[in-house]
């Protein structure tokens, strides 16, 4: 049982470390001086999720700059296609290693690991999950209007800029 | 048990999922201003001068750090910072002036302070708990790491519910001996009976033999083992009418085999002090050849002595063990000196004709994990249907779960059954089987090892009373923290003068005992997995 919990903890940590934030996101101390838009993951009702830098929001669409295999692409997503979204505006602190670390510490507790392993994994999982989600908004806690503030162009896409020119 | 574990695992996974998917309370730190007037008026009361981002209508952005001001006469925003084009390539740095007319929107951000403080506090508290438990385990390793091979009928059970423990006293090759434990099995169905042998300690187990002793039994019959390894087929169970000890009435504690055990704390002045418990049986219909049944195990006292002895040896543990191997005298002193001082659970029956207590014999089995279930044939000349018994035992050494009377119907001989198959991690291990059957070989079991041993019973439709025979020895892994406890003088005293040692060691043991007992009793009120049974 304890080994199962420890393995579960390690898997959770791996899962967590595989969800790294994009490099263009600032550290939390640098939020105020970051020139880019925040990172947004848009869940679409009828298509695959889209993840990228939030470029602008107009009255009907979200404009996102995606990057796949070094190829950047502008995606214009109508609000009506969006089922939910999650916005990340700063690099989260990664506490993922505390999960396997604390699980391994539990091994030194012998039989008492029956108590300490679940406690360690639960607490470190909570801390890790909360750390990972600390600098985020989602569709439940921010409006479209407020979301604009986190775009590269909070005032909307300037008229003279062609979306194809955006990098 | 399996279902419980599955349920707990599932509940845990669900909890983790809930946790992973929940979001902490969001921070709101960013504001936008569409003109300089609102910027000036809404930021003038801010305690801290914020950074300012001016998003230009052409898509450029200027980021002014710390010091910036709005020149309402020239209609400029001025300060030090950097400018970026719409693709965020840097176009300027240093002193910057931005015409307000060119700005589409201003942005300010409050600094987020101490965003990690709660998480760091939680991890700090957790680290404190881990360190405290770790220190506890280092100083009381037996509590955390168990001892000697443990055997389970249900392989999913944990050490709290071990069905047997093998050769607990054999801490060196020369101290090897065989151990027979009643498995107290339910009615056997089918031809195969399985046991799982685990090494749950920081020890190397050298297992020479494992086999079953099987006794055919009929309905209402049980077979019990005496302290000298005779086996008796018995009928009838007569429950205790009354039990009384120094702490008061013990009847409810000792009347049923319910794992509600009676134990006492040691004498703070002398670890070999004795105490007495009085038992009364009334309305016993058949007092012809009675046997006293007792389910018992030890507290952690003997464990403490074994660990203390290892600690006293310090870095000379190898030399001393080598000497033990070659000196029968030292070996006997180490093995039996303290044991003799501590004594057995001695049983006396009252001879009502003259008021004297007649000694019947005693029970002794080393080991704090599995229950020993044994019988002592009583030599009495019964006159009526009641019996009074006195039990003398060392204070703080024994845990007794159950005492009853039964009627002995005869002495029986076991059918010996060797392992038919041994599985190691689910795969047949022929080498292990050969080693455990051969008299001149050992199965070496390392920490974490688990072997499932299958036995083939002689008759598939016959019920059997089963006992486990195990023979071997084990080697404690010397732990770093023990080295500092080296005290050869104390070791000598323990071996040469155990009476004095038990007198002088009482104070030190009491500190240890209090911690252990507290843990034990705290855990008694909890659920199965969270109880402290077995240590």
């Amino acid at each position: 049982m304890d080994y199962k919990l420890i393995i579960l903890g390690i898997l959770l940590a791996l899962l967590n470390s595989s969800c790294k934030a994009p490099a263009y996101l600032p550290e939390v101390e640098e939020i105020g001086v970051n020139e880019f838009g925040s990172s947004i993951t848009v869940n679409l009702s009828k298509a695959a999720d889209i993840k990228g830098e939030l470029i602008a929001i107009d009255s009907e669409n979200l404009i996102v700059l995606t990057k796949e295999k070094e190829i950047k692409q502008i995606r214009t997503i109508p609000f009506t296609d969006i089922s939910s979204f999650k916005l990340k505006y700063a690099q989260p602190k990664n506490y993922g290693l505390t999960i396997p670390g604390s699980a391994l510490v539990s091994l030194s507790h012998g039989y008492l690991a029956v108590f300490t392993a679940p406690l360690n994994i639960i607490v470190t999982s909570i801390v890790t999950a909360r750390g990972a989600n600390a600098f985020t908004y989602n569709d439940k806690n921010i409006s479209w209007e407020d979301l604009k503030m986190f775009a590269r162009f909070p005032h909307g896409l300037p008229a003279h800029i062609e979306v194809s020119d955006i990098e | 048990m399996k279902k419980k574990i599955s349920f707990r695992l599932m509940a845990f996974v669900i909890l983790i999922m809930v946790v992973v998917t929940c979001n902490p309370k969001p921070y709101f730190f960013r504001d936008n201003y569409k003109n300089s007037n609102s910027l000036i008026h809404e930021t003038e009361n801010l305690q801290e001068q914020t950074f300012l981002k001016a998003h230009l209508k052409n898509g450029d952005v200027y980021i002014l750090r710390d010091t910036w001001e709005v020149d309402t006469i020239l209609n400029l925003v001025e300060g030090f910072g950097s400018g970026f084009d719409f693709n965020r390539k840097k176009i300027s740095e240093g002193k910057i002036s931005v015409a307000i007319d060119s700005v589409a929107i201003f942005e300010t951000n409050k600094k987020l302070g101490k965003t990690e403080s709660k998480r760091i506090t939680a991890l700090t508290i957790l680290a404190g708990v881990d360190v405290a438990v770790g220190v506890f385990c280092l100083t009381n390793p037996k509590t955390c790491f168990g001892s000697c091979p443990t055997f389970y009928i249900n392989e999913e059970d944990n050490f709290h519910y071990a069905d047997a423990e093998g050769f607990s006293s054999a801490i060196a090759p020369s101290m090897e001996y065989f151990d027979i434990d009643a498995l107290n099995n339910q009615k056997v169905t089918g031809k195969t009976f399985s046991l799982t042998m685990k090494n749950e300690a920081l020890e190397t187990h050298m297992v020479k033999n494992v086999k079953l002793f099987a006794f055919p039994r009929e309905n209402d019959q049980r077979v019990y083992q005496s302290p000298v390894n005779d086996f008796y087929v018995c009928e009838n169970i007569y429950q205790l009418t009354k039990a009384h000890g120094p702490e008061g009435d013990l009847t409810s504690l000792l009347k049923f085999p319910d794992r509600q055990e009676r134990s006492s704390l040691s004498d703070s002045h002398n670890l070999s002090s004795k105490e007495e418990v009085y038992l009364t049986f009334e309305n016993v219909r058949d007092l012809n050849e009675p046997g006293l049944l007792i389910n018992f195990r030890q507290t952690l006292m003997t464990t403490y002595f074994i660990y203390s002895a290892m600690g006293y040896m310090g870095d000379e543990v190898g030399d001393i063990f080598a000497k033990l191997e070659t000196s029968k005298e030292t070996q006997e002193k180490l093995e039996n000196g303290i044991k003799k001082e501590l004594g057995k659970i001695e049983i006396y029956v009252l001879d009502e004709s003259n008021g004297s207590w007649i000694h019947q014999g005693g029970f002794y089995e080393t080991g704090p994990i599995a229950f020993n279930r044994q019988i002592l044939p009583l030599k009495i000349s019964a006159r009526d249907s009641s019996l009074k018994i006195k039990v003398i035992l060392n204070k703080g050494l024994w845990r007794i779960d159950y005492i009853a009377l039964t009627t002995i119907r005869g002495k029986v001989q076991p059918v010996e059954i060797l392992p038919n198959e041994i599985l190691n991690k689910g795969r047949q291990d022929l080498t292990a089987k050969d080693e455990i059957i051969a008299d001149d070989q050992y199965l070496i079991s390392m920490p974490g090892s688990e072997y499932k041993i299958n036995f083939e019973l002689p008759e598939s439709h016959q019920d059997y009373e089963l006992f486990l025979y195990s023979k071997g020895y084990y080697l404690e892994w010397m732990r770093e923290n023990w080295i500092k406890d080296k005290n050869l003088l104390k070791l000598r005293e323990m071996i040469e003068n155990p009476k004095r040692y038990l007198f002088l060691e009482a104070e030190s043991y009491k500190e240890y005992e209090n911690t252990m007992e507290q843990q034990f009793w705290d855990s008694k009120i909890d659920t199965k997995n969270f109880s402290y049974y077995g240590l």
Side-chain angles (χ1 to χ4, degrees), chain A residues 34-35 95 111 137-138 167, chain B residues 27 53 87-88 116 144:
Chain A
N34 180 47
E35 64 271 27
Y95 296 94
Y111 296 139
Y137 295 110
N138 59 46
E167 297 171 3
Chain B
Y27 302 106
K53 266 193 232 175
N87 274 328
R88 298 310 181 237
E116 302 305 309
C144 303

Side-chain angles (χ1 to χ4, degrees), chain B residues 357-506:
Chain B
W357 291 100
I358 313 296
H359 184 244
Q360 303 291 315
F363 297 93
Y364 189 98
E365 284 287 334
T366 306
I369 297 176
F371 280 103
N372 303 287
R373 297 173 175 87
Q374 296 190 352
I375 186 171
L376 184 69
L378 300 179
K379 304 174 285 281
I380 58 165
S381 48
R383 291 183 181 174
D384 55 31
S385 61
S386 68
L387 199 64
K388 290 192 189 309
I389 292 174
K390 178 168 75 172
V391 182
I392 299 181
L393 65 170
N394 200 83
K395 289 179 79 174
L397 177 61
W398 301 101
R399 288 178 181 152
I400 302 177
D401 175 40
Y402 174 60
I403 300 179
L405 276 184
T406 186
T407 308
I408 295 172
R409 293 301 183 213
K411 197 187 267 192
V412 284
Q413 293 299 319
V415 178
E416 291 188 20
I417 305 171
L418 294 172
N420 181 46
E421 182 184 49
I422 296 184
L423 302 175
N424 184 359
K425 296 188 178 83
R427 289 187 178 174
Q428 200 172 99
D429 190 335
L430 294 173
T431 310
K433 184 186 166 189
D434 290 344
E435 288 169 341
I436 223 163
I437 288 174
D439 279 334
D440 57 350
Q441 292 183 54
Y442 291 91
L443 168 64
I444 303 172
S445 170
M446 301 302 281
S449 296
E450 278 190 32
Y451 293 92
K452 186 172 184 178
I453 307 172
N454 292 329
F455 300 90
E456 194 169 317
L457 301 174
E459 301 288 339
S460 57
H461 300 295
Q462 173 68 53
D463 184 24
Y464 292 94
E465 186 85 50
L466 298 171
F467 293 80
L468 175 74
Y469 172 102
S470 59
K471 185 177 182 182
Y473 66 92
Y474 65 97
L475 300 169
E476 288 283 358
W477 289 15
M478 195 61 187
R479 291 155 205 176
E480 200 179 340
N481 64 308
W482 290 354
I483 304 285
K484 64 179 176 6
D485 295 332
K486 184 178 174 182
N487 191 335
L488 295 178
L489 208 62
K490 257 192 169 177
L491 180 68
R492 188 180 179 82
E493 198 167 55
M494 181 190 249
I495 295 170
E496 300 291 343
N497 194 348
K499 195 181 181 95
R500 182 174 158 75
Y501 171 80
L502 291 171
F503 178 75
L504 295 174
E505 192 63 11

Side-chain angles (χ1 to χ4, degrees), chain A residues 125-143:
Chain A
S125 297
I126 290 172
V127 167
T128 304
R130 295 215 154 213
N133 289 316
F135 308 121
T136 62
Y137 295 110
N138 59 46
D139 49 298
K140 292 182 184 66
N141 56 29
I142 194 167
S143 65

Side-chain angles (χ1 to χ4, degrees), chain A residues 8 12 31 34-35 93 95 109-111 115 120 122 133 137-138 149 152-153 155 160 165-167, chain B residues 12 16 23 27 29-30 32 53 56 58-59 86-89 116 126 130 144 146 159 200 530:
Chain A
L8 187 68
L12 278 168
I31 290 172
N34 180 47
E35 64 271 27
K93 304 287 180 200
Y95 296 94
H109 298 157
Y111 296 139
F115 307 92
N120 277 330
I122 288 170
N133 289 316
Y137 295 110
N138 59 46
M149 293 193 289
R152 187 191 290 191
F153 306 115
H155 49 298
H160 72 284
D165 294 336
I166 296 173
E167 297 171 3
Chain B
F12 180 71
I16 293 296
N23 281 321
Y27 302 106
F29 57 93
R30 181 165 287 181
N32 278 181
K53 266 193 232 175
L56 271 53
N58 66 1
F86 72 94
N87 274 328
R88 298 310 181 237
K89 288 184 179 125
E116 302 305 309
L126 187 68
D130 281 334
C144 303
F159 70 100
E200 302 173 282
F530 293 88

Side-chain angles (χ1 to χ4, degrees), chain B residues 214-472:
Chain B
F215 299 86
R217 65 182 178 188
E218 303 302 324
N219 287 344
D220 304 326
Q221 283 188 342
R222 294 297 305 265
V223 178
Y224 299 105
Q225 166 199 13
S226 78
V228 291
N229 293 325
D230 287 330
F231 297 89
Y232 297 93
V233 62
C234 302
E235 291 175 355
N236 306 326
I237 291 290
Y238 301 106
Q239 288 180 336
L240 259 176
T241 310
K242 195 177 174 190
H244 192 269
E247 66 270 51
D249 186 31
L250 302 173
T251 316
S252 60
L253 271 181
L254 298 177
K255 196 168 186 173
F256 303 104
D258 53 5
R259 290 177 170 252
Q260 297 295 313
E261 299 163 280
R262 186 272 169 181
S263 66
S264 60
L265 294 175
S266 63
D267 185 336
S268 56
H269 303 295
N270 188 351
L271 292 179
S272 61
S273 293
K274 304 293 185 281
E275 61 183 348
E276 295 177 354
V277 171
Y278 293 90
L279 314 172
T280 305
F281 292 91
E282 289 175 348
N283 303 318
V284 182
R285 290 192 310 277
D286 187 355
L287 265 179
N288 189 27
E289 290 208 55
L292 184 74
L293 299 177
I294 177 167
N295 294 2
F296 68 99
R297 56 183 173 173
Q298 290 189 320
T299 63
L300 291 155
M301 188 184 270
T302 47
T303 301
Y304 174 86
F305 296 139
I306 292 172
Y307 273 66
S308 296
M310 302 281 289
Y312 299 152
M313 293 175 197
D315 55 2
E316 290 186 42
V317 65
D319 299 336
I320 295 169
F321 266 76
K323 193 177 172 189
L324 266 178
E325 290 300 300
T326 53
S327 168
K328 194 80 184 160
E329 190 191 356
T330 313
Q331 190 192 116
E332 274 179 12
K333 279 181 181 171
L334 180 64
E335 196 176 354
N336 297 320
I338 281 189
K339 184 176 168 183
K340 194 175 170 188
E341 278 304 316
L342 295 174
K344 301 175 180 179
I345 301 174
E346 301 287 359
I347 306 297
Y348 297 80
V349 171
L350 180 66
D351 183 344
E352 305 248 15
S353 64
N354 57 18
S356 63
W357 291 100
I358 313 296
H359 184 244
Q360 303 291 315
F363 297 93
Y364 189 98
E365 284 287 334
T366 306
I369 297 176
F371 280 103
N372 303 287
R373 297 173 175 87
Q374 296 190 352
I375 186 171
L376 184 69
L378 300 179
K379 304 174 285 281
I380 58 165
S381 48
R383 291 183 181 174
D384 55 31
S385 61
S386 68
L387 199 64
K388 290 192 189 309
I389 292 174
K390 178 168 75 172
V391 182
I392 299 181
L393 65 170
N394 200 83
K395 289 179 79 174
L397 177 61
W398 301 101
R399 288 178 181 152
I400 302 177
D401 175 40
Y402 174 60
I403 300 179
L405 276 184
T406 186
T407 308
I408 295 172
R409 293 301 183 213
K411 197 187 267 192
V412 284
Q413 293 299 319
V415 178
E416 291 188 20
I417 305 171
L418 294 172
N420 181 46
E421 182 184 49
I422 296 184
L423 302 175
N424 184 359
K425 296 188 178 83
R427 289 187 178 174
Q428 200 172 99
D429 190 335
L430 294 173
T431 310
K433 184 186 166 189
D434 290 344
E435 288 169 341
I436 223 163
I437 288 174
D439 279 334
D440 57 350
Q441 292 183 54
Y442 291 91
L443 168 64
I444 303 172
S445 170
M446 301 302 281
S449 296
E450 278 190 32
Y451 293 92
K452 186 172 184 178
I453 307 172
N454 292 329
F455 300 90
E456 194 169 317
L457 301 174
E459 301 288 339
S460 57
H461 300 295
Q462 173 68 53
D463 184 24
Y464 292 94
E465 186 85 50
L466 298 171
F467 293 80
L468 175 74
Y469 172 102
S470 59
K471 185 177 182 182

Side-chain angles (χ1 to χ4, degrees), chain A residues 7-167:
Chain A
I7 290 166
L8 187 68
I10 292 167
L11 287 176
L12 278 168
L14 290 174
L15 188 73
N16 177 263
S17 62
S18 67
C19 304
K20 279 199 166 179
Y24 60 81
L25 284 184
E27 295 296 329
V28 66
E29 300 81 10
E30 299 289 313
I31 290 172
V33 293
N34 180 47
E35 64 271 27
F36 292 99
S38 297
S39 167
I40 191 164
T41 303
V42 184
N43 303 118
L44 301 177
S45 45
K46 289 178 184 168
D49 298 350
I50 293 171
K51 185 177 177 184
E53 183 191 343
L54 181 60
I55 296 297
I57 299 175
D58 62 26
S59 57
E60 293 176 349
N61 302 294
L62 255 172
I63 301 168
V64 177
L65 178 64
T66 64
K67 184 181 173 186
E68 279 179 25
K69 296 176 183 172
E70 298 304 313
I71 299 168
K72 290 192 174 180
Q73 190 186 359
I74 284 286
R75 303 282 298 269
T76 303
I77 312 161
F79 289 158
T80 49
D81 290 355
I82 298 171
S83 60
S84 63
F85 66 82
K86 185 173 176 181
L87 181 111
K88 203 172 271 188
Y89 55 83
Q91 293 286 352
K93 304 287 180 200
N94 189 350
Y95 296 94
L97 285 178
T98 61
I99 302 175
S102 68
L104 289 174
V105 165
S106 296
L107 292 179
S108 70
H109 298 157
Y111 296 139
L112 298 183
V114 169
F115 307 92
T116 59
L119 177 72
N120 277 330
I121 292 173
I122 288 170
V123 173
T124 51
S125 297
I126 290 172
V127 167
T128 304
R130 295 215 154 213
N133 289 316
F135 308 121
T136 62
Y137 295 110
N138 59 46
D139 49 298
K140 292 182 184 66
N141 56 29
I142 194 167
S143 65
W144 291 118
E145 194 56 34
D146 286 341
L147 190 67
K148 285 180 182 175
M149 293 193 289
F150 293 87
R152 187 191 290 191
F153 306 115
H155 49 298
L157 192 66
H160 72 284
I161 295 176
E162 289 295 328
V163 289
S164 57
D165 294 336
I166 296 173
E167 297 171 3

